[in-house]
Amino acid sequence: MNIFETMVEQYHPTNEEERSNAQRETMQKIALAGLKRGGFFDHAAFYGGTCLRIFHGLNRYSEDMDFSLTEKNDSIHLENYFSAIIDEFQYVGLDVEIDKKDKKTFGRVESAFLKENTEAYDIKFQTRKMMKVKIELDTDPPLCFDTEQKLLNQPYSFSVRCFTLPDLFAGKMHALVYRAWQRRIKGRDWYDFEWYAKNQIPLNFNHLHERILEFSGNDVSKEEFMEALKEKLSSTDIDLVKQDVFNFVDNPQDLEIWSNDYFLQLAETLRFQ
């Protein structure tokens, strides 16, 4: 059994869906290890749902890996670190290939919130190409965020530069309220919002404001944001929200309390940093 399979087995998967989720998350950790060895985190930071899952114990699986440069820099690109990622997978006994995603072929959901200056790639097994991890880097990011070093012990002990929790929260609230999802609702955003609210994480409004301003050009106040949040929480079909997140959570019974009123009550507990 190679290192990769050993890491997967530590999740104790009991069926194919659980094994697939464990394999994908193991791939994510190995990709982080390669990026670390390559010096990527000297210039960039990890954020999004996968960051929350791996480093803060979010009780749902996450598919994509989102990164942001810590300052605007035209010379930093994901391609610079491909060899480090490929080498890391080879260390654990696997061969992978990294393919650039053609933004013109993105589905509605994938392209709904993707900036023109975001680089997107898939890491795939050479022998099992249905298993893949998407990595994205915002090369012209909204700023006003802080970072911290978080420890990961596999496949070796190393630290990853991550957004702090209040800034992770800001990115999630921007996605929940302002993402133009067309016909699909991303219930995972709602699940993460519940996690932040239940853990009493403050929201960094400065970073949220920068994100809103960059994507839409709107200079919103805290009061205007709260109005938009409550409108989203009160008007969205909660059954569609549950359907989207159902296969990503370990205990679907956690969703039984979900209702529009429940999320509006969570919104009342929100506090700004």
Side-chain angles (χ1 to χ4, degrees):
M1 185 181 295
N2 61 29
I3 297 173
F4 178 82
E5 293 300 336
T6 300
M7 291 174 65
V8 170
E9 289 304 318
Q10 291 176 357
Y11 288 85
H12 306 293
T14 59
N15 55 51
E16 284 306 309
E17 183 176 338
E18 291 180 2
R19 181 169 295 278
S20 178
N21 284 331
Q23 289 175 335
R24 183 176 292 107
E25 189 161 301
T26 300
M27 289 181 69
Q28 292 166 346
K29 291 178 178 179
I30 295 168
L32 288 171
L35 289 168
K36 175 64 176 182
R37 284 194 204 269
F40 178 70
F41 295 110
D42 294 341
H43 310 282
F46 192 25
Y47 74 99
T50 305
C51 180
L52 196 64
R53 162 77 181 179
I54 291 176
F55 290 107
H56 297 284
L58 178 70
N59 195 26
R60 74 162 179 88
Y61 285 98
S62 184
E63 295 178 301
D64 304 332
M65 303 182 75
D66 301 307
F67 302 97
S68 169
L69 293 182
T70 54
E71 59 184 22
K72 300 180 189 299
N73 188 334
D74 294 337
S75 67
I76 305 299
H77 302 281
L78 278 171
E79 292 99 324
N80 302 351
Y81 304 93
F82 282 2
S83 61
I85 296 172
I86 291 169
D87 287 348
E88 198 66 43
F89 275 93
Q90 289 179 339
Y91 291 153
V92 302
L94 293 170
D95 291 321
V96 296
E97 58 188 36
I98 304 176
D99 298 329
K100 186 170 185 177
K101 292 187 67 66
D102 184 354
K103 297 174 188 178
K104 294 180 180 178
T105 65
F106 277 17
R108 288 182 178 179
V109 174
E110 276 188 310
S111 62
F113 219 48
L114 191 64
K115 295 165 56 178
E116 284 299 318
N117 47 11
T118 296
E119 301 175 351
Y121 295 85
D122 283 333
I123 304 174
K124 305 176 184 178
F125 291 140
Q126 289 187 358
T127 55
R128 290 176 283 176
K129 295 186 179 180
M130 292 303 293
M131 175 61 62
K132 62 184 179 181
V133 169
K134 185 171 72 176
I135 56 174
E136 295 181 3
L137 172 65
D138 189 343
T139 59
D140 185 23
L143 300 177
C144 296
F145 61 83
D146 294 318
T147 63
E148 60 182 345
Q149 298 291 332
K150 301 295 291 183
L151 179 66
L152 195 60
N153 290 321
Q154 290 181 311
Y156 64 94
S157 294
F158 64 100
S159 60
V160 173
R161 190 177 193 177
C162 301
F163 279 38
T164 63
L165 280 169
D167 296 297
L168 287 169
F169 193 10
K172 180 55 59 177
M173 296 310 293
H174 180 224
L176 190 155
V177 177
Y178 296 98
R179 194 182 329 234
W181 277 116
Q182 307 270 341
R183 296 180 180 178
R184 182 174 171 183
I185 295 167
K186 194 168 184 182
R188 283 158 278 181
D189 289 341
W190 294 60
Y191 189 92
D192 296 358
F193 167 52
E194 179 190 43
W195 186 93
Y196 285 110
K198 288 169 67 173
N199 284 279
Q200 299 182 318
I201 306 300
L203 171 64
N204 182 359
F205 186 77
N206 287 337
H207 182 53
L208 175 60
H209 181 268
E210 286 295 307
R211 284 188 168 273
I212 298 169
L213 192 62
E214 179 168 316
F215 278 85
S216 64
N218 295 328
D219 184 9
V220 303
S221 65
K222 293 177 182 177
E223 292 74 21
E224 289 168 331
F225 164 73
M226 288 302 298
E227 287 179 10
L229 171 61
K230 291 178 180 179
E231 170 61 25
K232 175 73 71 171
L233 296 178
S234 63
S235 62
T236 302
D237 187 331
I238 202 68
D239 289 331
L240 295 179
V241 175
K242 291 181 180 181
Q243 288 174 22
D244 177 79
V245 77
F246 187 84
N247 290 330
F248 291 89
V249 298
D250 293 329
N251 187 4
Q253 291 181 340
D254 292 344
L255 309 181
E256 291 180 358
I257 194 173
W258 282 23
S259 67
N260 296 96
D261 184 64
Y262 170 67
F263 280 98
L264 285 169
Q265 290 187 56
L266 288 179
E268 292 295 337
T269 69
L270 191 153
R271 59 192 178 93
F272 295 102
Q273 186 183 63

